[in-house]
Amino acid sequence: MTNKNQIKIFDTTLRDGEQSPGASMNIEEKLKIATALEALGVDIIEAGFPAASKGDLEAVTEVSKIIKNSIVCGLSRASKFDIDAANSALKHAAQPRIHTFISTSELHMTHKLELSAEQVYEKVIDSVSYARNLCDDIEWSCEDGTRTDRDFMCRTVEAAIKSGATTINIPDTVGYSVPEEFSEIITHLFNTVPNIDKAIISTHCHNDLGVAVANSLAGVAAGARQIECTINGLGERAGNAALEEVVMAMRTRNDLMPYTTNIKTELLNKTSKLVSAVTGFPVQYNKAIVGKNAFAHEAGIHQDGMLKNSKTYEIMTPESVGVSESNLVMGKHSGRHAFKEKLIELGYDDIGDNAIEESFNNFKALADKKKNLYDEDIVAIVDDQVIRVNDIISLKDLSVVAGTKGPQTAEVTLIIDENEHFTKSSGDGPVDAIFNALIHLVPHKGKLQLYQVHAVTEGTDAQAEVSVRLSENGKTVVGQGSDTDTLVASAKAYINALNKLIVKREKTSPAKMSNIS
């Protein structure tokens, strides 16, 4: 890097983020997120783990075909099989990177790998050398780095660089470290490894103790020049360092952290919403940077200060992360042109005319129902439309009988492969009745792991946004739906999950109803 204070942002939402239980994505969704990450200015996109599954190999291959400005990275274990799979998946990439790793902590070497330290050391040399003969850009990681013996870490890092690694990643795999210790680890590497200047040092911090962002920034202060992170902090267990947080921390406190990135921060909010919509993982209201309440002020003292000078209680502007200040602009008298301009303002400048037209019609229908329309309502409408692209099952009619007397019943009409299918079912409550009807119309063995409802905006006429997670034979999908009627939103979410479940079934022909069951 020409600028010694330039920090590379390595996004692993599509790989480590997808490893969050229930956050699996299909290829179409991965391509959508990869495109958004490239537009955001991410330097390296880790697109997946090609050897892990046929789906991952296909996803990395397809991402490689469309991404031109960002480096596309594939993860591999320290084996020729994995490295060959990564190399094959990256063959179309304009800028490919193979990222290979092996555990180096005594705990992992003994109980997971069942290898001696010397055997691991030899595997580092063999795997990195093999990968380097296939690709010019090689990253090596010492898994469970923060629990690795320092001397052994230095020895393996030196060997990896000698073998051709151009980036060395130090993962806090289980989120065990704290900032002072993590800084000492990076400093020790710089002071001990003789060829350390031949590689970029990277951080990959998990958030089990809630300090992933702090550890990443401590690593940068100690000399690391790449941060591995995810949108919304998505990832294994408690997640990873959140991209939006590390980037805005460096931008906001540039006086103490004089580092720069290529991230277009004005797209952070849009990208956050996309990842949330695709994965079905809602962003907590008080989430830093992209949470709904990140720029909300309710206390009278705060409001008074904001009215006098926004800097009294805001350390960054909403616009700097892509949050619009306006809320009650659109209404039932708004036209297509104004609606399209609003979509551009909200960051939806790349959706097709058909999606815009359908979203506009749904917007007008909602405007007739709701007294006040908010930006969040429009976002929910567009997201609801976008996630339903290519669905072969859709809801035509829903009628529900609910109340204290019971039994609660649901009459459902679905369009499946352009044909109508009707059924009536009962259940323990209206939602249970709806889901029973859907199971009757679209038989499957999926288990409901999550049913979650939250209001998009305030008020009794607010749209409900529902997330549903289904798991079938090891395949997990998340469906979403929104509507002013919570029961309709619930049906839409379950149907969206069913559509994704069908896509996940290998060699399923969507043209035949028999393949749905």
Side-chain angles (χ1 to χ4, degrees):
M1 290 185 297
T2 55
N3 181 358
K4 65 178 182 179
N5 285 336
Q6 178 76 17
I7 308 301
K8 288 182 178 290
I9 298 298
F10 178 116
D11 183 278
T12 184
T13 302
L14 296 178
R15 199 277 300 170
D16 200 325
E18 195 194 24
Q19 290 175 199
S20 299
S24 58
M25 315 166 204
N26 60 39
I27 290 179
E28 185 179 89
E29 291 167 338
K30 285 192 173 185
L31 292 176
K32 199 175 296 181
I33 290 177
T35 302
L37 293 175
E38 184 177 39
L40 183 63
V42 165
D43 299 287
I44 304 102
I45 299 172
E46 189 166 52
F49 194 162
S53 69
K54 181 182 177 182
D56 248 31
L57 191 146
E58 291 176 353
V60 176
T61 301
E62 294 305 311
V63 169
S64 296
K65 291 178 181 178
I66 66 167
I67 299 301
K68 303 303 177 187
N69 297 322
S70 302
I71 293 170
V72 179
C73 179
L75 185 69
S76 74
R77 288 163 294 198
S79 72
K80 290 184 178 181
F81 175 83
D82 275 34
I83 294 168
D84 285 339
N87 185 57
S88 174
L90 294 166
K91 63 186 176 183
H92 299 289
Q95 302 178 75
R97 173 182 291 189
I98 294 176
H99 179 191
T100 185
F101 72 95
I102 192 169
S103 294
T104 54
S105 70
E106 184 66 33
L107 186 66
H108 277 216
M109 290 190 295
T110 301
H111 298 286
K112 190 180 85 165
L113 300 179
E114 297 183 344
L115 296 173
S116 68
E118 284 306 309
Q119 288 174 310
V120 168
Y121 178 75
E122 290 302 321
K123 279 184 171 290
V124 172
I125 296 171
D126 292 344
S127 59
V128 175
S129 298
Y130 185 74
R132 183 61 182 81
N133 286 328
L134 300 175
C135 181
D136 291 336
D137 188 353
I138 304 299
E139 176 170 339
W140 178 75
S141 290
C142 47
E143 186 182 5
D144 204 23
T146 54
R147 295 194 294 178
T148 294
D149 176 79
R150 301 280 177 89
D151 290 338
F152 184 62
M153 178 191 288
C154 290
R155 189 171 169 225
T156 55
V157 167
E158 181 180 358
I161 297 172
K162 279 184 180 179
S163 301
T166 50
T167 301
I168 298 294
N169 180 46
I170 309 301
D172 185 23
T173 305
V174 292
Y176 180 71
S177 195
V178 293
E180 183 178 7
E181 178 187 53
F182 196 77
S183 176
E184 289 173 356
I185 291 172
I186 303 300
T187 300
H188 184 71
L189 287 173
F190 276 103
N191 291 338
T192 309
V193 178
N195 57 357
I196 197 74
D197 60 316
K198 300 293 192 298
I200 291 172
I201 305 304
S202 176
T203 70
H204 180 112
C205 300
H206 278 264
N207 205 39
D208 298 71
L209 294 178
V211 289
V213 169
N215 283 340
S216 301
L217 296 174
V220 167
R225 287 299 177 263
Q226 176 178 290
I227 297 177
E228 304 196 2
C229 46
T230 60
I231 300 296
N232 298 336
L234 204 63
E236 293 259 21
R237 304 179 313 279
N240 289 270
L243 182 152
E244 60 278 3
E245 294 180 24
V246 294
V247 168
M248 290 309 294
M250 289 185 288
R251 174 172 166 166
T252 304
R253 292 310 310 271
N254 206 242
D255 56 330
L256 296 179
M257 295 178 284
Y259 313 114
T260 58
T261 72
N262 290 323
I263 297 299
K264 302 175 182 66
T265 63
E266 294 77 14
L267 297 178
L268 286 172
N269 191 56
K270 173 189 175 183
T271 312
S272 166
K273 289 181 182 299
L274 173 62
V275 171
S276 176
V278 166
T279 60
F281 280 42
V283 178
Q284 67 192 64
Y285 281 13
N286 63 331
K287 168 76 173 63
I289 315 301
V290 292
K292 182 179 178 181
N293 290 346
F295 296 96
H297 307 272
E298 184 170 335
I301 295 173
H302 288 213
Q303 290 175 342
D304 179 63
M306 283 294 297
L307 290 171
K308 293 173 180 174
N309 187 324
S310 62
K311 291 181 180 180
T312 54
Y313 287 102
E314 285 186 352
I315 59 174
M316 66 195 85
T317 66
E319 294 86 356
S320 68
V321 297
V323 175
S324 172
E325 286 188 309
S326 58
N327 276 323
L328 300 174
V329 177
M330 303 299 293
K332 65 180 181 178
H333 300 297
S334 300
R336 282 178 177 80
H337 180 73
F339 181 74
K340 190 172 182 178
E341 288 298 312
K342 170 56 73 173
L343 292 185
I344 293 172
E345 178 188 323
L346 293 174
Y348 294 100
D349 51 1
D350 54 357
I351 62 175
D353 292 338
N354 291 338
I356 290 175
E357 184 64 23
E358 185 68 25
S359 297
F360 177 72
N361 292 334
N362 292 335
F363 160 75
K364 296 293 277 188
L366 180 63
D368 285 332
K369 297 178 183 178
K370 285 195 68 176
K371 181 179 180 181
N372 296 323
L373 279 176
Y374 297 79
D375 286 354
E376 291 86 351
D377 288 312
I378 297 173
V379 168
I381 289 170
V382 178
D383 287 346
D384 195 55
Q385 174 65 26
V386 170
I387 63 177
R388 257 157 255 297
V389 175
N390 299 326
D391 279 1
I392 65 169
I393 307 170
S394 60
L395 178 68
K396 183 182 180 184
D397 289 311
L398 172 65
S399 179
V400 179
V401 175
T404 56
K405 293 183 179 180
Q408 289 78 34
T409 61
E411 296 182 1
V412 178
T413 303
L414 298 182
I415 304 296
I416 305 175
D417 293 334
E418 300 180 357
N419 297 313
E420 287 191 16
H421 298 264
F422 170 83
T423 194
K424 180 178 179 179
S425 293
S426 60
D428 185 13
V431 174
D432 189 47
I434 293 168
F435 289 0
N436 287 340
L438 294 174
I439 293 170
H440 183 260
L441 289 175
V442 188
H444 62 89
K445 297 178 182 178
K447 292 185 178 180
L448 182 65
Q449 294 185 322
L450 172 74
Y451 171 72
Q452 185 171 270
V453 183
H454 80 274
V456 174
T457 59
E458 297 79 10
T460 56
D461 61 352
Q463 285 192 93
E465 197 165 69
V466 176
S467 296
V468 166
R469 185 190 302 157
L470 292 178
S471 178
E472 179 189 72
N473 299 326
K475 301 179 181 71
T476 303
V477 294
V478 175
Q480 286 191 304
S482 61
D483 198 276
T484 51
D485 187 319
T486 305
L487 299 180
V488 173
S490 301
K492 286 182 177 180
Y494 200 98
I495 292 167
N496 183 233
L498 289 176
N499 277 292
K500 291 182 178 180
L501 200 60
I502 294 167
V503 171
K504 276 199 171 269
R505 293 172 181 171
E506 289 188 4
K507 301 186 192 262
T508 297
S509 172
K512 295 182 180 180
M513 179 62 190
S514 60
N515 288 320
I516 294 176
S517 60

